[in-house]
Amino acid sequence: MSASPWVRCVALPAPTLRNNTADADRLVAALSQALPASAGAIDLDLDLLRQLPALLRRSDYRLRCTLFGDRGRWILTGISGTDDARPAAGLAVDLGTTRVVLRLIDLATGASLAEHAFDNPQAAVGPDVLTRIHHAESPDGLLHLNALIIDGLNLAIRALCLSAGLQPPDICAVSVAGNTCMTHLFMGLDPRWIIREPYIPVVNRPGVLKAADLGIEAGPFARVRVFPNIGSYFGGDLIAGILYSGLHRGGATAILVDVGTNAEVVLGNRDWLIGCAGAAGPALESGVTRMGMLAGPGVVDRVAIDTATGRFDVHTIEESPPRGICGSGVIDLAAQLFLSGMIDIRGKLVAAACGERLKVVDGLRHLVVVPAEQSASGEDLTISQADLDSLIRSKAAMYTILETLAMTVGVGLGELSRFYVAGTFGCFINPRSAIAIGMLPDLPLERYVPIGNSSLEGAALALTSADAVDEIDCIRDRITYLELNVNQDFMNRFSAAKFLPHTDAARFPSVNAK
Amino acid sequence: MSASPWVRCVALPAPTLRNNTADADRLVAALSQALPASAGAIDLDLDLLRQLPALLRRSDYRLRCTLFGDRGRWILTGISGTDDARPAAGLAVDLGTTRVVLRLIDLATGASLAEHAFDNPQAAVGPDVLTRIHHAESPDGLLHLNALIIDGLNLAIRALCLSAGLQPPDICAVSVAGNTCMTHLFMGLDPRWIIREPYIPVVNRPGVLKAADLGIEAGPFARVRVFPNIGSYFGGDLIAGILYSGLHRGGATAILVDVGTNAEVVLGNRDWLIGCAGAAGPALESGVTRMGMLAGPGVVDRVAIDTATGRFDVHTIEESPPRGICGSGVIDLAAQLFLSGMIDIRGKLVAAACGERLKVVDGLRHLVVVPAEQSASGEDLTISQADLDSLIRSKAAMYTILETLAMTVGVGLGELSRFYVAGTFGCFINPRSAIAIGMLPDLPLERYVPIGNSSLEGAALALTSADAVDEIDCIRDRITYLELNVNQDFMNRFSAAKFLPHTDAARFPSVNAK
């Protein structure tokens, strides 16, 4: 991460009778010299002008200035004497539906000063976007949702600043990436048309706003850059992810998959980008998490089955007694069950292979993953046939979305130079397992690149890279959004993908089931 | 006055699945088509975005939009349905040290809706710039002065709107021209360095501000354009005057003289502009008004003396009984006294010619202009030798400033194609009288063009002309400011100009004294 080009220390020539231009014009002239020749106008807020004469003279005309780029012009968002020991701070925000993550950054060095995460307080209204939008339509519902997230952010900002020895007014620049609904609620914009045909957001390019206008506790001149969205179902979080992955700069075609509350996929290179959101077909994440739980101590995150002995080797987070299973654990488990012959190519439990691990509860087959005597609860930890069927549908939907997107532009999935996987999903799944069940294509493993919270990383880049700001608009304008048309062809491909790893096993040469 | 190019009625295509861009982006696209191809980005305030979805759907996507240009980008400052019967209004303000004049304008047609003037309430603190700046340095002094003018403007805005059947929120655009100190106090900027060497304003190009940030009662998205200044002694009122006169567009060299609280002069054409402010030498206006009074009923504004009979023909405003004499009356009087031989070429009263009109009071010679029996007060209305001496110094200063400016660029005063005279001074003086005493050069009378309150007219142009906004910056950047150097050469020219009409009578061939 490079140092920000937006913190500039300037020494102004002191006024004389021969050089008696105004204070503001003197400052702007010095800053213009310190910026690239192509830089445009530099804007100063009225309240900054009000403080300027005293500040200039107190600091002997030596100033540290923080600038914020906005489409060819610059805004002065922070100013102090060069002897100010406190860093000019920036705040990057990943505004998730479930979880909100903040990072405080020293704008001069690009260094991370502190991170903080909290559950989106709007979850008290409803866990998903749909419930919140309906709530926003009730009297004062939008104000309520807006206040929840703004208050939550301000609490987090105070905590972050405290841990870094700073104060909220030290923050000069904020960068926010979230999905279309979350950014609308953040800005207090009516989201009701997002979920109604023809699915219209209030704004696609929110651009740069004053932190004070949004109610965000930061410096008096601080600005907030809200990442643009492509439409109702393709948000700024994914634009931030593309920015961070570098997909839009690559010579070879690559893909980015972000499985959060929605499954979003972008394919492309420096010449073109095409994206779609996984609203079509069963949502992957619900299939993965329905039977399990979010990662935490005692949650099964890795499973291995000895194909010779049938012995289960179950790993839990913090190696605590097993109490549930998370997404990556389920994918591992399914892959191991398939490779050891305990489920067949349709994902059905094979009685002969499962032996005494197979139990029938309420007429439904279950496989015991952790027997009662080893589990945290003292009860069997099982996976049901219904859970497995759900996983199969989810993995088939994922693969079909990838296949459809690639087909649309005539690219074979095998040609992908990189496969970026974002989010916690990307960090924890074992790509070998995901390939084994045919969820992800059978690429050499080194092409799989987990990129973590790419929404947060992209938001941070927008604060620390001179190029990033221009790239954001460029990415936004270059993406073709593919509306996934769930027609007969799509359903045929989906059906073919419901086998393990696929009806066309030749697509997965590395997968050898027992 | 042409209709504003900034009110645009647009009909947006209704959203469909094939055209499902966001509300704001839909509006911006339609406005971009309605604007010249070269128009840049269009900015929407956050609060406007918050109202947009409901407004669009309520108005069936037919909107009247008011735009405000700001250095290559546009700001949407007003929006309503196309069926809105109330005009989108603009407010032009001439922010004078003594008097403030406002004009309400229909932005769609450019028509004037109402005018209103009031005495600058800061006069309660002090009549002149210097006193007010000293007051601004006292605790809360700046806040006090700022509140006085903002409150005064808001009262005037309410009165103006009432008389035009509008309300303050109907105002979308405001344009303010004033001298450097007045605009500083209007913006709440510390003026203390304006009057101290090396005379530094806080800002020369205030640009575009939010009306709400300034405390001005207007529409929620309204913007205020504050005219730029050249320096501490050359303000935005004169830039507005140049804009209105068209001096900066002329092929032939012309001159603009504005005698208000300060005497300011600009000389130039479409290729160059040079200006100076009459801070050097005795101020003309004080010389003219010290012995007299401001225009009003009973004030002598025109004087004629029959050279054959010596009879005085005195005209008063509203033809009421004489009670004083104003600037134009004094210049008329001095010219007539000179032409009839009652004062000599040094401006001294000639006893033989004055006859019984000459009286000595407290050892000082006075000339009776209106005898006691004809005056309003029942006492003689007189002009003293000291008053005449003061007028001579003032007219000499005025002429010397004009001569010095012209000499600097090698232009003869006789070459001037137009002589624009701004302000009430310009409206009421008789150029023939001003020439007779050598205050203004001996040009053919048709070249003298009184242009009234050119500060107000320029401010209005900035609201109604598409070109004016670019021209303002262009004028500002092109003016060379001449610091009047009161050296021996200047004093020699000043001494030569202290004769009537001038030591070098050949410069005034049209003047034939008795």
Side-chain angles (χ1 to χ4, degrees), chain B residues 78-97:
Chain B
I79 185 166
S80 61
T82 45
D83 54 353
D84 191 348
R86 303 157 81 89
L91 178 74
V93 181
D94 166 37
L95 195 65
T97 304

Side-chain angles (χ1 to χ4, degrees), chain A residues 140-153:
Chain A
D140 290 333
L142 176 56
L143 282 175
H144 176 218
L145 285 163
N146 178 251
L148 282 173
I149 186 61
I150 298 296
D151 293 349
L153 284 167

Side-chain angles (χ1 to χ4, degrees), chain B residues 240-253:
Chain B
I242 296 168
L243 179 70
Y244 178 62
S245 72
L247 194 70
H248 60 297
R249 284 194 305 263
T253 302

Side-chain angles (χ1 to χ4, degrees), chain A residues 24-25 50 187 202 204-205, chain B residues 24-25 50 187 202 204-205:
Chain A
D25 302 69
R50 286 172 175 165
M187 293 185 283
V202 177
N204 281 332
R205 297 175 181 84
Chain B
D25 302 69
R50 287 172 175 164
M187 293 186 283
V202 177
N204 282 332
R205 297 175 181 82

Side-chain angles (χ1 to χ4, degrees), chain B residues 88-434:
Chain B
L91 178 74
V93 181
D94 166 37
L95 195 65
T97 304
T98 307
R99 191 99 176 133
V100 180
V101 190
L102 297 88
R103 179 184 296 165
L104 199 64
I105 293 167
D106 180 339
L107 288 174
T109 64
S112 170
L113 299 172
E115 276 200 30
H116 187 84
F118 64 99
D119 288 338
N120 190 325
Q122 294 170 344
V125 165
D128 55 52
V129 160
L130 210 64
T131 322
R132 295 186 203 171
I133 292 180
H134 286 308
H135 181 74
E137 294 172 38
S138 65
D140 291 331
L142 177 55
L143 282 176
H144 177 219
L145 285 164
N146 178 251
L148 282 174
I149 187 61
I150 298 295
D151 293 348
L153 284 168
N154 285 336
L155 276 175
I157 287 169
R158 278 177 238 155
L160 256 185
C161 286
L162 201 63
S163 69
L166 299 183
Q167 293 184 340
D170 295 323
I171 298 173
C172 301
V174 182
S175 167
V176 177
N179 67 44
T180 305
C181 178
M182 288 310 109
T183 54
H184 272 55
L185 296 177
F186 169 69
M187 293 186 283
L189 302 179
D190 184 357
R192 82 176 63 199
W193 306 105
I194 287 180
I195 52 165
R196 290 179 169 84
E197 199 181 312
Y199 315 113
I200 309 293
V202 177
V203 64
N204 282 332
R205 297 175 181 82
V208 168
L209 304 162
K210 275 194 179 183
D213 289 347
L214 289 161
I216 291 293
E217 290 180 16
F221 320 121
R223 293 299 195 279
V224 180
R225 183 186 313 285
V226 179
F227 272 70
N229 45 266
I230 310 290
S232 288
Y233 293 107
F234 199 98
D237 47 354
L238 195 54
I239 306 243
I242 296 168
L243 179 70
Y244 178 62
S245 72
L247 194 70
H248 60 297
R249 284 194 305 263
T253 302
I255 199 164
L256 167 65
V257 175
D258 189 350
V259 183
T261 304
N262 241 327
E264 294 156 339
V265 184
V266 185
L267 180 69
N269 52 45
R270 67 183 166 218
D271 295 319
W272 52 266
L273 293 166
I274 184 164
C276 67
L284 180 69
E285 81 286 359
S286 75
V288 172
T289 60
R290 194 170 57 187
M291 62 184 159
M293 47 174 64
L294 293 171
V299 170
V300 174
D301 61 345
R302 291 202 304 272
V303 178
I305 301 175
D306 186 314
T307 49
T309 64
R311 187 175 169 273
F312 279 43
D313 183 6
V314 169
H315 179 268
T316 64
I317 296 174
E318 296 183 11
E319 303 193 350
S320 308
R323 59 185 186 87
I325 187 162
C326 70
S328 61
V330 170
I331 291 169
D332 255 18
L333 176 62
Q336 293 292 308
L337 290 175
F338 175 56
L339 294 175
S340 62
M342 297 170 83
I343 56 175
D344 64 16
I345 60 166
R346 295 170 304 140
K348 299 299 179 193
L349 290 162
V350 178
C354 294
E356 57 190 25
R357 283 184 179 268
L358 192 70
K359 293 194 174 173
V360 176
V361 181
D362 295 337
L364 189 65
R365 286 177 158 196
H366 283 249
L367 180 95
V368 177
V369 181
V370 179
E373 61 273 19
Q374 292 167 23
S375 82
S377 65
E379 293 180 11
D380 287 340
L381 199 64
T382 68
I383 186 166
S384 73
Q385 184 61 55
D387 291 333
L388 286 166
D389 292 348
S390 172
L391 175 68
I392 300 283
R393 280 196 302 277
S394 294
K395 81 94 186 172
M398 183 78 228
Y399 187 80
T400 309
I401 289 170
L402 297 175
E403 187 186 14
T404 303
L405 194 61
M407 274 178 57
T408 304
V409 288
V411 170
L413 286 173
E415 296 170 44
L416 300 175
S417 64
R418 284 281 179 285
F419 199 111
Y420 299 105
V421 195
T424 37
F425 177 80
C427 288
F428 295 109
I429 63 155
N430 180 344
R432 191 183 297 275
S433 297

